[in-house]
Amino acid sequence: MQTLIVKQWTAKTLPPDWFKPQQEIQKNSKSLEDTVKTIISQVRKDGDKAIIEFVEKFDKTKLSIQALRVSAEEIRAAYCKITPQQLDALLFMKQRVETYQKQQVQPENQINLDGISIKTVLYPLDSVGCYVPGGQAAYPSTVIMTVVPAKVAGVKRIVVCSPTDATGKINDLVIVASDICGVDEVYKIGGAQAIAALAYGTQTIRPVRKIVGPGSKYVTMAKVLVSTDVAIDMPAGPSEVLILADETADPRLIAFDMISQAEHGTDSVAGLITTSNRLAENVQKILTELASSTERSEKISESLKKYGFIITCDNFKEMVELSNQFAPEHLEVITKNAQDLTKDLVAGLILLGPYSPVPLSDYASGTNHVLPTGTFAQSFSALGVFDFSRRVSIVECSKAGLEKVRSNVKVLAYIENLPNHYKAIDARF
């Protein structure tokens, strides 16, 4: 049997930079930044010609400029190649996400403060680009997670970019998901070149106002670099799960959850922090057994060896402190007092109890699985309808209302040495 070693520490033996690998995945190297800058520069300079060259270089397939956009014929053909059960599952997921997102949108709210009326309204962005990873795997769920909130917000133009396989095709399920969600344009482009095309446009692709969606370290770096010119959602890089558990947790379930995270790719992060030494030992043992015998075992084993870990703590306080230091994308809490811990935890998404694994949130809960990674959960939130909207305050004041604040405005204006601010008020009387 293959030996699998997941890094294991106690809270007392934990090195100060224990989560440094997680940050390294996100921050990347100078050479990577230079590579992505070159790609972006080439796309800005040569447009479609550069895109075609990069598709051939990175996706190992040749496309004509005319074939970059998925055609109506390709959309119809994709429906014929998927099963009724697959279509039903996509429609189910779309409905779940749509229901949740619609509940997030508040009706216009208005307050009145002594003659001053203030109304807050949401206006949709006019265009959005959604990046959907692909190539080796298909992620129609990412289409739904990125497009549905944009549709609920009322975005007028939604573009999807996704890399092709070696035959020059986008996965049929990604195409169908794009169609049922109402995507306006789908392009066969991946990687940093897709982000550059969405940000700056080419002869074929018009630029968008905002770019959203997860991707590789190249995609994440490209989003960061173009963010000075176009809005982005968040630095959503390789996926993470952290599990907080006590002696009441089932070690087999925890092992399955860590393995399910590790199968995303060799740069995925899966960790357990527990107050139970026995649980830690059992999870380590079960991981070794399962990872060598399950599907995609080679990728899972490599991921767990590189970025898998188990940490044992003396108490819940230590667990919470370490968890918040890590600030994971997904945080599972399987303890006897899980609900009580939530107010103190920092994470992109918190899942409580033994029946709330990450795959539930990936496919069925209606919550969004485009989440901040690499400790960015400390300052970013899950993708949602508000990410596709502009919030605007509309103020209308009566003469009586302006009279009531007149004296305070005068004092404040002179405090800041802006006398004409007050004169603009006073002139109205």
Side-chain angles (χ1 to χ4, degrees):
M1 180 182 291
Q2 179 184 1
T3 300
L4 176 67
I5 301 174
V6 177
K7 292 184 289 292
Q8 191 160 347
W9 302 294
T10 67
K12 291 183 176 60
T13 62
L14 202 59
D17 60 347
W18 66 278
F19 60 100
K20 188 176 179 183
Q22 178 203 24
Q23 294 178 314
E24 287 176 346
I25 292 172
Q26 295 290 64
K27 292 181 178 178
N28 303 302
S29 66
K30 183 66 168 62
S31 61
L32 177 60
E33 181 177 346
D34 291 341
T35 298
V36 174
K37 281 182 176 178
T38 299
I39 292 171
I40 293 172
S41 176
Q42 198 67 37
V43 171
R44 295 189 72 175
K45 178 181 175 223
D46 295 333
D48 288 344
K49 179 176 179 290
I51 293 295
I52 293 299
E53 290 173 357
F54 287 129
V55 166
E56 183 173 357
K57 179 178 181 179
F58 296 121
D59 298 333
K60 309 302 181 187
T61 187
K62 291 186 177 182
L63 291 177
S64 66
I65 292 174
Q66 294 72 24
L68 283 177
R69 182 171 176 176
V70 173
S71 66
E73 291 77 11
E74 288 173 302
I75 294 172
R76 287 193 291 270
Y79 276 96
C80 297
K81 295 175 184 175
I82 69 171
T83 68
Q85 293 83 3
Q86 289 172 329
L87 179 58
D88 286 345
L90 291 175
L91 290 169
F92 160 80
M93 184 179 179
K94 174 181 178 286
Q95 184 270 329
R96 284 292 176 104
V97 175
E98 196 170 56
T99 299
Y100 178 73
Q101 291 297 328
K102 284 181 177 178
Q103 290 177 347
Q104 304 303 301
V105 182
Q106 299 297 319
E108 292 182 5
N109 61 79
Q110 185 168 339
I111 63 171
N112 288 280
L113 300 171
D114 297 326
I116 305 173
S117 168
I118 306 172
K119 179 170 65 174
T120 303
V121 296
L122 293 175
Y123 295 121
L125 302 179
D126 63 7
S127 59
V128 169
C130 302
Y131 186 83
V132 178
Q136 295 181 347
Y139 295 100
S141 62
T142 300
V143 175
I144 294 170
M145 292 294 183
T146 54
V147 174
V148 169
K151 274 292 180 182
V152 171
V155 175
K156 298 178 182 66
R157 174 177 170 251
I158 302 175
V159 181
V160 163
C161 283
S162 189
T164 70
D165 60 19
T167 66
K169 295 180 180 179
I170 292 180
N171 182 272
D172 293 317
L173 290 164
V174 169
I175 293 175
V176 170
S178 298
D179 189 60
I180 66 174
C181 290
V183 173
D184 300 290
E185 305 158 32
V186 182
Y187 294 100
K188 306 168 188 175
I189 313 169
Q193 58 271 23
I195 304 303
L198 290 170
Y200 303 111
T202 70
Q203 294 85 348
T204 298
I205 305 168
R206 288 181 291 136
V208 297
R209 296 289 186 188
K210 189 169 188 176
I211 301 171
V212 304
S216 68
K217 57 187 179 181
Y218 294 91
V219 169
T220 302
M221 174 61 77
K223 285 172 65 179
V224 170
L225 291 175
V226 304
S227 65
T228 56
D229 298 309
V230 63
I232 65 169
D233 49 355
M234 69 190 84
S239 196
E240 310 158 352
V241 67
L242 180 62
I243 303 168
L244 303 187
D246 61 13
E247 70 281 355
T248 65
D250 185 332
R252 188 171 178 81
L253 296 183
I254 292 173
F256 270 112
D257 290 355
M258 293 177 70
I259 285 173
S260 71
Q261 188 65 31
E263 78 171 334
H264 273 290
T266 55
D267 53 3
S268 296
V269 181
L272 165 66
I273 301 179
T274 179
T275 52
S276 170
N277 289 322
R278 183 176 181 182
L279 181 74
E281 292 172 3
N282 287 335
V283 170
Q284 181 79 271
K285 178 181 177 183
I286 296 168
L287 279 175
T288 302
E289 295 170 354
L290 291 177
S292 61
S293 59
T294 193
E295 298 91 342
R296 299 163 66 88
S297 61
E298 186 174 337
K299 179 175 292 187
I300 288 167
S301 297
E302 184 179 349
S303 175
L304 289 174
K305 286 178 181 179
K306 286 170 64 178
Y307 297 119
F309 62 86
I310 297 173
I311 303 169
T312 52
C313 297
D314 291 335
N315 51 56
F316 283 93
K317 182 181 178 182
E318 280 185 345
M319 279 208 307
V320 170
E321 288 175 350
L322 291 178
S323 176
N324 290 348
Q325 193 177 7
F326 192 88
E329 176 189 24
H330 303 95
L331 179 63
E332 293 185 14
V333 186
I334 310 175
T335 65
K336 56 191 173 187
N337 62 337
Q339 192 69 244
D340 296 337
L341 291 178
T342 56
K343 66 181 184 299
D344 299 318
L345 294 170
V346 176
L349 176 70
I350 300 174
L351 300 138
L352 301 180
Y355 300 104
S356 306
V358 170
L360 170 73
S361 66
D362 283 342
Y363 302 122
S365 67
T367 51
N368 208 300
H369 71 210
V370 180
L371 298 159
T373 61
T375 73
F376 282 106
Q378 294 170 349
S379 52
F380 287 86
S381 304
L383 190 68
V385 65
F386 296 112
D387 293 292
F388 301 96
S389 307
R390 297 180 292 110
R391 188 173 63 251
V392 180
S393 296
I394 301 173
V395 179
E396 183 177 10
C397 187
S398 66
K399 186 173 182 179
L402 193 60
E403 173 68 32
K404 287 180 180 180
V405 301
R406 184 179 175 188
S407 61
N408 282 318
V409 170
K410 181 178 182 178
V411 172
L412 292 167
Y414 279 94
I415 284 174
E416 298 192 346
N417 195 27
L418 298 170
N420 289 295
H421 277 53
Y422 171 66
K423 289 179 181 179
I425 299 285
D426 191 49
R428 285 161 169 79
F429 298 94

